[in-house]
Amino acid sequence: ALPIFLKNRKLVIIMSILQEFEEARKQQTKEERAIIESFLVKYPEYYLSDIYYNPAVAKQMWQEAGNIEKVNNINKAIEILNSDVVPF
C-alpha cells in the first residue's frame, strides 16, 4: 500500500486535471463539445487529454470537422513552440 501522503498527492493531481478539463469545457460551445464527443466515438484509441495536449490529434479533429480557423491557430501555436522566438 502507498503511504498516505502519496495517495493524497495522486488525488490532488487527479483533481487538478479534472478541474482543468472542466474549465476547458466551460469555454467550449455546444458545437465544439459535439465535435469532440463524435471524434472520440469515431477514434476510441484517443482520450480527451489527447485532444487537449496533443496538437496533432487536435489538428486532425478540427480538419475533419472542417474548422480551418482552429487548424490555422494550432499551426501557429506549433510554429511558436518550435521556434526560439518568444511571442511576447
Side-chain angles (χ1 to χ4, degrees):
L2 290 172
I4 191 72
F5 70 91
L6 286 178
K7 288 181 184 177
N8 289 340
R9 178 74 176 138
K10 286 183 177 182
L11 181 61
V12 168
I13 291 169
I14 290 169
M15 292 302 295
S16 176
I17 292 168
L18 292 174
Q19 288 172 341
E20 188 175 327
F21 282 7
E22 183 59 28
E23 286 301 314
R25 183 172 163 67
K26 287 178 184 177
Q27 295 176 13
Q28 297 163 349
T29 65
K30 287 182 182 181
E31 180 185 341
E32 289 171 331
R33 286 193 298 270
I35 290 168
I36 291 168
E37 288 173 18
S38 66
F39 183 81
L40 291 173
V41 168
K42 185 176 178 181
Y43 298 99
E45 66 272 19
Y46 292 131
Y47 298 99
L48 185 58
S49 59
D50 293 317
I51 293 170
Y52 290 159
Y53 301 114
N54 185 334
V57 175
K59 185 176 173 180
Q60 175 187 352
M61 180 185 70
W62 293 117
Q63 281 175 327
E64 289 184 16
N67 192 322
I68 301 306
E69 180 181 352
K70 290 205 183 278
V71 172
N72 289 338
N73 288 342
I74 292 169
N75 287 336
K76 288 177 190 174
I78 291 170
E79 284 178 30
I80 290 169
L81 291 171
N82 290 333
S83 73
D84 293 333
V85 179
V86 179
F88 42 86

